[in-house]
């Protein structure tokens, strides 16, 4: 069996007065896209930079592709692809020159033209980096991360600061790269990004992993995939919460601000059952909303805080 | 694997540095035009003039006509007849006259002058000679003057190699230092060390790219000096190239060392000035470093700019051979190795 692409045990790192990483364990399987999801300051970047050999842990063990940084730095650098947060590539070089420069550091790698095409910058190949939009710069950063055809790819906050359209474009590209079976580790504080891209997610808070699993498993752990909120017109008789909870497909129910909130496992059964119950009692609905439970709901359920406190 | 040879990272890194430089039009302009403008200015200030005439005054008196006639006959003097002794002395104090001639009651003449002023001593010799000849003195030995005005001993000849040395130093330290600090600030250094890039090659690329720019710069300045100002190039061009090259290595390494820790442009700038200002003063750019006391001379000779300037002057003005510039070349080589090695050890890559 090949070694795990990345295994981290008991990782700790403290800066002057802050503990950034506080006993963190991870094990990543070949070919998966693994996400570290957490709010800013959770220790994601410190963790990923220790894994990339750019930062030293105070304690703990990191094994990358079965090797360690102390003895095999040269080989590891050849085999990893890295995208860092906030790197500003030289504005005066063109896209092509930038990719060629990074390609020159590796013994083997992909064809430069192919890589540029892969991130859909072919039309911008001879444009200066300084003239690119934020999304195009991020795509270039992705291009230089994959130019060596790496065995393991690290992406640190790949879409932070981009507009929604550019983010979606980048997700498509990362999904394409994933489809080639490359093991990828990414950090993000966007729950939708983790849901779209990651096979497995570790939710990180205060330097620790507080939940681990596929996005679906994590959401399922809430005991419901959907949340239904509704209310009846003012003056209508109250509905018994026990009766709501007994409806088909509903796992939990409670009253909220004069309305009702249902946690629902099977939306397609719960909604007809709810409508039937209201019809039976001759009641109408004043409003009805449903949303799928998200990793955000998981984070809130675990910490009582939102991922992005703004 | 055959692809590996297609991509030399030292070549790519150096090419990238040269491109970045050439795509900054202001930097290009100042690198090439500044030394030329400076040379033009100096050329105008120190252009070839006819030999100076020395201004002397004669106090008006009944019997001064013969003296005035004798002095006026000399081409080296400009004679002014002054009405009173007081006004003559006032003119001497403000430098308008170098010497004043006063007729004495006994029929002789008196010279009033300041013997600490070189022009006054010169005036004394010329005036006395003219006065004595005018009175009929004959020279016992027949003499003949042959004038030799050699290029190579003018101030402009002295200062051009100094400017060249100063330019190599400034270009290397500013060019290399700012580029490195900027890359550190943009976190590009950190991105580069996340690749298998050789750190030594990265630093070497700064020096290599400087050489390309330097070649153009040196040809520009020396070409102008040679053609427009007639500054001589007496030694071998290969030796001149070698001195320039080694000097660029030494200052490139020093630039990297200065930038090895700084996180901000401002911080780096302070260090650069601390390194360069003393050398501008001590290393004989505009005046000879021999003017400093003997006690400081061994220290001054160890400075890279002194070594550069001395070797450039020896090669260009005196036509000295390799043996004569060997000590300076050794000083530059030591600076290159020590700064380069220390920079690699101290360098902050994040």
């Amino acid at each position: 069996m090949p070694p795990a692409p990345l295994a981290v045990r008991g990782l700790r790192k403290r800066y002057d007065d802050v503990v950034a990483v506080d006993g963190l364990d991870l094990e990543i399987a070949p070919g998966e896209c693994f996400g570290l999801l957490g709010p800013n300051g959770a220790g994601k970047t410190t963790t990923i930079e220790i894994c990339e050999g750019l930062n030293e842990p105070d304690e703990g063990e990191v094994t990358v592709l079965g090797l360690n940084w102390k003895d095999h730095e040269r080989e590891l650098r050849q085999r990893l692809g890295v995208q860092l947060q906030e790197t500003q590539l030289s504005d005066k070089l063109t896209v092509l020159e930038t990719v060629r420069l990074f390609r020159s550091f590796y013994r083997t790698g992909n064809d430069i033209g192919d890589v540029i095409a892969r991130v859909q910058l072919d039309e911008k190949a001879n444009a200066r980096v300084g003239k690119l939009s934020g999304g195009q710069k991020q795509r270039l950063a992705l291009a230089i991360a994959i130019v060596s055809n790496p065995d393991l790819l690290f992406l640190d906050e790949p879409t932070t600061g981009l507009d929604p359209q550019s983010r979606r474009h980048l997700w498509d590209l990362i999904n394409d790269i994933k489809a080639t079976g490359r093991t990828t580790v990414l950090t993000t504080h966007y729950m939708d990004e983790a849901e779209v891209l990651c096979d497995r997610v570790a939710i990180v808070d205060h330097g620790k992993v507080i939940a681990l699993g596929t996005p679906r498993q994590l959401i399922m752990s809430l005991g419901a995939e959907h949340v239904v909120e509704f209310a009846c017109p003012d003056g209508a008789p109250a509905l018994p919460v026990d009766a709501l909870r007994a409806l088909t497909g509903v796992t939990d129910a409670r009253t909220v601000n004069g309305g009702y909130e249902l946690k629902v496992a099977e939306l397609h059964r719960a909604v007809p059952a709810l409508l039937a119950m209201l019809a039976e009692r001759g009641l109408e609905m004043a409003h009805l909303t449903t949303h799928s439970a998200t990793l955000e709901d998981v984070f809130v359920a675990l910490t009582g805080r939102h991922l992005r406190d703004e | 694997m055959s692809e590996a040879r297609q991509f030399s990272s030292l070549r790519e890194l150096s090419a990238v540095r040269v491109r970045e430089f050439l795509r900054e039009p202001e930097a290009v302009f100042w690198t090439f035009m500044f030394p030329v403008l400076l040379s033009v200015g100096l050329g105008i200030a120190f252009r070839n003039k006819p030999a100076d005439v020395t201004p002397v005054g004669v106090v008006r008196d009944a019997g001064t006509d013969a003296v005035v006639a004798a002095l006026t006959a000399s081409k080296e003097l400009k004679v002014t007849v002054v009405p009173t002794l007081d006004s003559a002395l006032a003119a001497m104090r403000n430098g308008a006259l170098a010497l004043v001639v006063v007729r004495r009651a006994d029929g002789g003449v008196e010279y009033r002058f300041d013997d600490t002023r070189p022009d006054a001593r010169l005036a004394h010799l010329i005036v006395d000679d003219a006065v004595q000849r005018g009175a009929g003195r004959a020279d016992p030995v027949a003499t003949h003057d042959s004038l030799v005005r050699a290029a190579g001993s003018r101030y402009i000849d002295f200062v051009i190699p100094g400017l060249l040395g100063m330019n190599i130093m400034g270009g290397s330290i500013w060019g290399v230092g700012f580029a490195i600090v900027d890359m550190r600030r943009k976190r590009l250094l950190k991105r580069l060390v996340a690749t298998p890039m050789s750190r030594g090659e990265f630093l070497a690329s700064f020096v290599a790219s400087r050489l390309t720019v330097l070649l153009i710069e040196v040809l520009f300045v020396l070409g102008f000096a040679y053609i427009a100002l007639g500054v001589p190039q007496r030694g071998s061009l290969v030796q001149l190239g070698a001195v320039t090259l080694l000097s660029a290595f030494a200052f490139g390494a020093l630039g990297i060392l200065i930038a090895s820790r700084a996180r901000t442009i401002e911080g780096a700038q302070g260090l650069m000035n601390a390194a360069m200002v003393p050398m501008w003063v001590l290393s004989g750019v505009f005046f000879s470093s021999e003017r400093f006391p003997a006690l400081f001379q061994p220290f001054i000779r160890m400075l890279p700019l002194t070594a550069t300037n001395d070797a450039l002057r020896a090669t260009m003005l005196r036509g000295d051979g390799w043996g004569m510039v060997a000590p300076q070349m050794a000083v530059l080589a030591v600076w290159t190795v020590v700064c380069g090695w220390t920079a690699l050890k101290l360098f902050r890559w994040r």
Side-chain angles (χ1 to χ4, degrees):
Chain A
M1 201 186 114
L6 178 65
V8 174
R9 268 174 295 276
L11 199 66
R12 275 174 216 281
K13 175 79 183 180
R14 76 179 287 136
Y15 296 112
D16 302 332
D17 52 348
V18 205
V19 179
V21 184
D22 189 12
L24 189 139
D25 300 290
L26 290 174
E27 175 133 353
I28 285 147
E32 78 175 334
C33 179
F34 188 92
L36 290 170
L37 174 67
N40 289 329
K44 305 185 301 288
T45 295
T46 305
T47 303
I48 203 170
E49 288 190 352
I50 291 171
C51 296
E52 291 161 350
L54 294 173
N55 203 336
E56 300 249 329
D58 296 335
E59 263 178 64
E61 214 178 298
V62 176
T63 314
V64 187
L65 303 166
L67 307 170
N68 65 64
W69 280 107
K70 201 167 143 286
D71 302 322
H72 308 102
E73 174 164 0
R74 280 179 158 275
E75 187 186 344
L76 282 174
R77 293 260 172 257
Q78 287 285 351
R79 294 177 61 188
L80 300 186
V82 166
Q83 181 193 29
L84 302 178
Q85 238 186 100
E86 299 173 352
T87 303
Q88 288 173 265
L89 295 164
S90 179
D91 283 348
K92 297 202 179 56
L93 300 179
T94 67
V95 167
L96 188 67
E97 287 162 354
T98 305
V99 176
R100 191 166 58 214
L101 174 67
F102 277 84
R103 172 64 185 84
S104 78
F105 302 143
Y106 296 90
R107 282 196 299 266
T108 60
N110 292 317
D111 179 79
I112 291 165
D114 287 353
V115 169
I116 293 172
R118 187 105 67 88
V119 298
Q120 294 171 17
L121 285 173
D122 354 20
E123 285 178 13
K124 293 281 176 185
N126 292 310
R128 300 259 177 105
V129 173
K131 303 274 183 210
L132 300 182
S133 70
Q136 289 166 337
K137 281 182 184 162
Q138 243 6 42
R139 270 143 63 195
L140 176 59
L142 184 62
I144 62 173
I146 59 170
V147 74
S148 62
N149 196 16
D151 294 332
L152 174 58
L153 182 61
F154 289 104
L155 305 174
D156 194 3
E157 302 271 358
T159 67
T160 294
L162 299 185
D163 60 88
Q165 199 188 340
S166 303
R167 290 181 60 204
R168 229 159 274 135
H169 190 172
L170 213 61
W171 290 350
D172 290 343
L173 296 175
I174 295 172
N175 266 324
D176 287 350
I177 293 166
K178 265 175 61 185
T180 62
R182 196 183 316 278
T183 313
T184 306
V185 178
L186 66 85
T187 72
T188 182
H189 62 270
Y190 297 113
M191 49 92 189
D192 49 349
E193 185 162 294
E195 280 180 44
V196 169
L197 294 178
C198 298
D199 302 319
R200 280 201 307 149
V201 172
I203 297 181
V204 181
D205 193 39
H206 297 307
K208 288 194 180 90
V209 174
I210 56 172
L212 178 71
T214 65
R216 204 177 152 76
Q217 280 170 346
L218 291 171
I219 291 163
M220 294 285 277
S221 71
L222 286 173
E225 271 187 78
H226 302 277
V227 179
V228 174
E229 289 167 292
F230 72 95
C232 296
D234 290 341
L239 288 166
V241 170
D242 286 344
L244 289 170
R245 203 171 280 149
L247 289 171
T248 326
V250 174
T251 56
D252 199 7
R254 58 188 179 127
T255 57
V256 177
N257 299 335
Y260 304 89
E261 186 190 270
L262 309 180
K263 292 205 168 150
V264 174
E266 295 170 298
L267 192 61
H268 61 288
R269 291 185 204 280
V271 172
L274 173 64
L275 294 174
M277 176 184 161
L278 292 172
E280 204 175 275
R281 291 169 186 245
L283 291 172
E284 283 185 9
M285 269 192 285
H287 85 94
L288 171 72
T289 64
T290 76
H291 74 262
S292 303
T294 64
L295 289 173
E296 179 89 22
D297 296 312
V298 178
F299 187 80
V300 173
L302 289 169
T303 66
R305 289 177 291 124
H306 284 272
L307 275 169
R308 299 169 70 191
D309 286 320
E310 281 160 343
Chain B
M1 282 297 172
S2 66
E3 243 188 315
R5 266 168 204 80
Q6 224 178 299
F7 302 99
S8 147
S9 45
L10 180 59
R11 198 184 60 206
E12 285 296 328
L13 281 165
S14 309
V16 156
R17 307 257 10 108
V18 172
R19 282 189 202 114
E20 283 183 324
F21 172 76
L22 293 177
R23 287 172 191 177
E24 187 93 70
E26 294 96 332
V28 174
F29 177 82
W30 287 112
T31 303
F32 298 133
M33 287 315 288
F34 180 69
V36 168
L37 291 177
L38 205 53
S39 310
V40 170
L42 291 166
I44 292 169
F46 298 97
R47 67 193 181 281
N48 283 332
K49 292 182 289 194
D52 283 336
V53 291
T54 307
V56 296
V58 180
V59 178
R60 194 195 302 277
D61 189 296
T64 49
D65 289 354
V67 173
V68 171
L71 295 181
T72 311
S74 166
K75 287 197 187 75
E76 292 167 280
L77 296 174
K78 180 171 164 279
V79 184
T80 313
V81 178
V82 192
T84 66
L85 179 62
D86 283 348
S87 58
L89 293 178
M92 196 165 75
R93 274 198 298 278
N94 68 27
L97 295 177
L99 178 141
V100 173
V101 181
V102 189
R103 201 176 146 73
R104 287 169 67 106
D106 61 4
V109 287
E110 176 185 345
Y111 304 133
R112 296 266 185 125
F113 68 106
D114 176 352
D115 68 341
T116 64
R117 271 172 62 177
D119 61 333
R121 292 211 303 270
L122 179 67
H124 177 241
L125 291 174
I126 301 168
V127 168
D128 189 46
D129 185 56
V131 168
Q132 302 298 350
R133 278 164 187 265
R137 186 187 72 184
D139 292 332
V141 179
T143 60
H144 181 74
D145 294 344
S146 292
L147 298 181
V148 180
R149 286 184 189 161
S153 51
R154 300 164 306 168
Y155 181 68
I156 189 74
D157 302 317
F158 175 84
V159 88
I160 285 287
L163 285 181
L164 188 62
M166 189 175 89
N167 221 43
I168 297 172
M169 174 172 83
S172 299
I173 290 181
W174 277 315
V176 172
F178 285 136
I180 288 179
V181 175
D182 195 45
M183 289 173 90
R184 186 177 290 122
R185 210 170 47 83
K186 290 177 170 169
R187 311 211 188 184
L188 188 49
L189 279 184
K190 188 169 162 185
R191 179 64 186 85
L192 289 171
V193 291
T195 72
M197 177 191 75
S198 146
R199 296 177 183 200
E201 278 187 357
F202 172 78
L203 297 183
S205 75
F206 279 89
V207 178
S209 63
R210 274 296 307 159
L211 293 182
T212 316
V213 177
L214 188 78
L215 181 75
I216 309 171
E217 193 180 323
V218 169
L219 287 176
F220 224 71
V221 175
L222 288 186
F224 178 82
Y226 185 77
I227 294 163
L229 302 172
V231 174
Q233 164 47 43
R234 298 202 170 104
S236 90
L237 284 174
V238 175
Q239 185 181 318
L240 183 67
V243 169
T244 318
L245 201 71
L246 203 49
S247 166
F249 281 150
F251 287 117
L254 183 60
I256 294 171
L257 179 62
I258 286 171
S260 63
R261 306 289 299 169
R263 286 185 198 276
T264 61
I265 298 283
E266 290 79 7
Q269 196 156 22
L271 284 172
M272 289 176 194
N273 287 339
M276 288 194 292
V277 172
M279 285 196 266
W280 285 337
V281 177
L282 295 172
S283 292
V285 175
F286 293 103
F287 57 88
S288 169
S289 57
E290 300 291 331
R291 287 185 180 234
F292 292 98
L295 184 66
F296 299 147
Q297 291 298 332
F299 164 75
I300 291 175
R301 277 195 212 108
M302 285 299 132
L303 294 174
L305 187 57
T306 318
T308 301
N309 288 347
D310 288 353
L312 286 175
R313 288 197 179 111
T315 309
M316 290 170 61
L317 306 183
R318 293 199 296 277
D320 289 346
W322 292 94
M324 299 296 283
V325 296
Q328 285 85 18
M329 301 280 266
V331 167
L332 292 174
V334 169
W335 276 95
T336 308
V337 172
V338 171
C339 289
W341 186 84
T342 316
L344 200 55
K345 294 289 155 199
L346 288 182
F347 208 84
R348 194 202 298 271
W349 290 96
R350 299 177 42 119

